[in-house]
Amino acid sequence: MYDQSKLSELIKFARVEAGSTVIDVYPGEGGWTRLFSDIVGPKGRVYSFVPAEVADFKNDPVGLMRTLAKEPGRENVEAVSADLVAMPEVTQPADVLWLHLFYHDLHTALMQKKGATAARFNRAVHERLKPGGSYVIVDHAAAAGTGTSDTQSLHRIDPASVREEVEAAGFVLDAQSSILAKTDDSHSVKVFDPSIKGETDRFVYRFVKI
């Protein structure tokens, strides 16, 4: 999805390093899990966390991650699944929690079907991160002032709303990056539309648990 220079910058921004414990939330096909596994090394740990809300998808996301964890050299990966807000019950205290193009989904009916809300999930993240740990969010930007109104229809969210919600859970915004910004994105088109897919304006936040 990103070229090597952007990948390197994102990893540095997230502060994932050798020996880190990382929770990769909703890992998809496992690209980030593999990358984190390579970086944290044998003394680190990567939890590939599949929310139970999506575990029944046809592509068998839990099975995919369990297969990934059995790949040679992936002994530091553990595939886990539970309801979104039960994430702390199946993981250990972490240095980094990584949320890539997923935060907006916390405001959709699919992710809320078991009672999860953004507020409850953010509190679960705060519980699971170590003091000083990083909560890193990359997502598709919605137009300023739209709040969470485009999460279901366009799969976008206003960055200001994300910041407000995460800070309400006790986090402090530590840094933000414009590395994935796209000034020609009108913010009015669904992210899967061929005209914009892969080229959306994305914001990158790092919050810290104090």
Side-chain angles (χ1 to χ4, degrees), residues 13 25 32 36 40 42-43 45 55 57 62 68 80 86 108 114 169 180 188 201:
F13 181 89
V25 176
W32 289 108
F36 295 146
V40 305
K43 293 185 178 179
R45 192 75 176 162
F57 279 13
V62 178
L68 184 157
V80 294
T108 62
K114 291 176 175 284
L180 303 179
S188 62
D201 181 26

Side-chain angles (χ1 to χ4, degrees), residues 23 25-26 49-56 62 80-91 97 102 106 110-117 120-121 124-125:
I23 302 173
V25 176
Y26 198 3
F49 174 68
V50 179
E53 288 83 349
V54 301
D56 60 352
V62 178
V80 294
S81 183
D83 291 356
L84 262 173
V85 295
M87 178 268 297
E89 298 173 17
V90 295
T91 56
L97 187 134
F102 177 71
L106 296 172
L110 173 64
M111 291 301 162
Q112 294 181 353
K113 67 182 181 181
K114 291 176 175 284
T117 62
R120 291 185 67 196
F121 179 74
V125 176

Side-chain angles (χ1 to χ4, degrees), residues 20-95:
S20 293
T21 295
V22 182
I23 302 173
D24 181 16
V25 176
Y26 198 3
E29 296 184 358
W32 289 108
T33 291
R34 287 188 176 90
L35 188 57
F36 295 146
S37 170
D38 292 341
I39 294 167
V40 305
K43 293 185 178 179
R45 192 75 176 162
V46 180
Y47 289 95
S48 197
F49 174 68
V50 179
E53 288 83 349
V54 301
D56 60 352
F57 279 13
K58 289 183 179 180
N59 66 338
D60 186 17
V62 178
L64 284 174
M65 292 307 98
R66 286 175 177 166
T67 299
L68 184 157
K70 294 177 182 177
E71 293 175 358
R74 301 293 179 208
E75 292 82 8
N76 59 3
V77 174
E78 183 174 347
V80 294
S81 183
D83 291 356
L84 262 173
V85 295
M87 178 268 297
E89 298 173 17
V90 295
T91 56
Q92 294 297 314
D95 301 288

